[in-house]
């Protein structure tokens, strides 16, 4: 069943050989990306896994500029999950240095393109050099009014929900909130992404068909788009294909249209 689904999906993605034609008035406002396949991309080329992560960093810049040009307003990149600490120490150390390397090279161009950098995740476990690089980028771009580049770093959807529920429970305990007042908006106000709209489109690369603990509440009605392409190979063309597929779908949110 999974194999047939993958074959169907691949056929859908490759059915157009020409440049995808996009509707300018139906571009997803918020696109979230699970950047998967860096290690496998490197292994297939006889390279160490960290080489794949370095190439993936270049794809981040490439896709950010492309998203900005398409009129996408928010781009959330799943850079490091709360489960990724289980990886080998040398790989984790390299991943923790990537934000510093990426921003040192690309921050000026991001500023020129009016991009605003944000971070969504749990900072207490992150090394100081990682936090300092991100905080500098956030500070220098906070007045930019273009695309929001939101890095999900040391982020996990389950942890986000648990921490949010704990905060709500404390507010009830302190008498600031009644249990009868708790609704969906209460939960959403306690999420790390509370300042952002929910993703309209979720993209995952490398052929894996799972969510991997990413924005579990927020993507309840997001459109999902999967591709076999490894993240270091992901280009503006692939982003356009994802947006084109998004535009072919009808979003009903459980209703009828």
């Amino acid at each position: 069943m999974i194999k047939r689904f993958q074959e169907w999906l691949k056929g859908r993605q490759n059915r157009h050989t020409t440049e995808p034609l996009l509707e300018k008035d139906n571009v997803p406002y918020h696109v979230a990306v699970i950047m998967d396949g860096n290690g496998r991309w490197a292994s297939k080329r006889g390279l160490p896994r960290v080489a794949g992560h370095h190439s993936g960093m270049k794809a981040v810049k490439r896709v950010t500029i492309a998203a900005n040009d398409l009129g996408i307003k928010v781009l959330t990149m799943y850079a490091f999950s709360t489960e990724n600490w289980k990886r080998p120490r040398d790989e984790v150390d390299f991943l923790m240095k990537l934000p510093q390397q990426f921003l040192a090279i690309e921050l000026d161009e991001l500023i020129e393109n009016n991009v605003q950098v944000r971070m969504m995740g749990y900072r207490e476990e992150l090394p100081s050099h990682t936090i300092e690089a991100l905080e500098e980028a956030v500070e220098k771009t906070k007045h930019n009014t273009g695309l929001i580049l939101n890095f999900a770093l040391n982020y996990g959807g389950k942890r986000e929900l648990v921490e949010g529920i704990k905060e709500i429970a404390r507010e009830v305990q302190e008498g600031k909130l009644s249990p009868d007042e708790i609704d969906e908006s209460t939960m959403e106000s306690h999420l790390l992404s509370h300042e952002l709209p929910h993703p309209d489109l979720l993209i995952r690369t490398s052929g894996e068909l799972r969510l991997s603990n990413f924005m579990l509440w927020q993507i309840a009605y997001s459109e999902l788009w999967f591709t076999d392409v490894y993240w270091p190979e992901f280009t503006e063309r692939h982003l356009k294909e994802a947006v084109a597929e998004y535009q072919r779908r009808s979003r009903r949110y459980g209703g009828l249209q």
Side-chain angles (χ1 to χ4, degrees):
M1 178 65 74
I2 292 295
K3 185 176 180 181
R4 289 201 300 271
F5 176 69
Q6 288 177 319
E7 290 173 349
W8 170 85
L9 193 60
K10 187 175 182 180
R12 291 275 292 181
Q13 294 167 5
N14 295 330
R15 65 181 180 178
H16 296 297
T17 58
T18 58
E19 186 78 7
L21 296 177
L22 303 180
E23 304 169 23
K24 292 184 178 180
D25 60 350
N26 188 24
V27 174
Y29 190 97
H30 183 176
V31 176
V33 184
I34 300 177
M35 305 178 288
D36 196 20
N38 291 338
R40 279 168 285 166
W41 177 88
S43 297
K44 283 196 170 186
R45 287 158 179 77
L47 301 170
R49 287 178 56 85
V50 294
H53 294 307
H54 189 271
S55 291
M57 181 178 71
K58 297 178 182 178
V60 170
K61 184 262 187 88
R62 185 166 63 239
V63 173
T64 299
I65 300 303
N68 195 34
D69 290 343
L70 288 177
I72 293 167
K73 302 302 183 184
V74 183
L75 185 65
T76 295
M77 300 288 208
Y78 202 10
F80 190 88
S81 77
T82 49
E83 290 75 39
N84 285 156
W85 296 105
K86 301 173 185 177
R87 295 187 176 188
R89 179 60 183 271
D90 59 343
E91 183 174 348
V92 169
D93 288 345
F94 184 86
L95 288 169
M96 288 297 106
K97 293 175 183 176
L98 274 184
Q100 190 176 21
Q101 294 177 17
F102 173 78
L103 293 167
I105 298 169
E106 309 296 355
L107 184 57
D108 287 344
E109 186 170 353
L110 293 177
I111 292 172
E112 289 175 9
N113 282 275
N114 199 27
V115 172
Q116 182 185 133
V117 177
R118 295 192 190 181
M119 182 224 160
M120 178 179 77
Y122 298 95
R123 302 185 177 205
E124 52 267 30
E125 290 97 355
L126 295 172
S128 59
H129 60 81
T130 305
I131 292 297
E132 289 168 6
L134 283 163
E135 287 181 344
E136 179 183 0
V138 169
E139 178 64 25
K140 287 185 175 180
T141 64
K142 66 181 181 182
H143 296 302
N144 289 354
T145 57
L147 177 140
I148 294 172
L149 176 57
N150 182 39
F151 288 106
L153 190 65
N154 195 30
Y155 170 86
K158 289 183 178 180
R159 179 172 175 179
E160 179 182 35
L161 292 173
V162 169
E163 295 296 338
I165 291 168
K166 285 181 180 178
E167 289 178 17
I168 293 171
R170 280 192 288 268
E171 291 175 14
V172 171
Q173 191 175 43
E174 294 169 2
K176 298 178 180 178
L177 184 68
S178 163
D180 292 334
E181 296 175 318
I182 299 173
D183 56 16
E184 288 186 12
S185 63
T186 307
M187 189 69 241
E188 291 187 2
S189 69
H190 290 77
L191 298 176
L192 295 176
S193 63
H194 66 274
E195 295 181 344
L196 300 173
H198 295 174
D200 300 293
L201 173 64
L202 172 71
I203 296 171
R204 178 164 189 154
T205 59
S206 88
E208 301 292 351
L209 304 177
R210 56 178 176 268
L211 301 179
S212 295
N213 198 21
F214 185 47
M215 301 186 83
L216 300 178
W217 176 284
Q218 297 92 326
I219 64 171
Y221 275 102
S222 301
E223 296 298 321
L224 310 182
W225 190 83
F226 301 97
T227 177
D228 290 335
V229 174
Y230 293 132
W231 176 247
E233 300 171 326
F234 198 86
T235 65
E236 178 183 3
R237 168 60 184 268
H238 297 116
L239 179 62
K240 287 182 176 179
E241 288 178 355
V243 172
E245 176 62 27
Y246 168 85
Q247 293 180 345
R248 285 190 287 270
R249 299 180 187 178
S250 175
R251 304 186 74 195
R252 295 185 294 275
Y253 299 96
L256 298 176
Q257 288 184 3

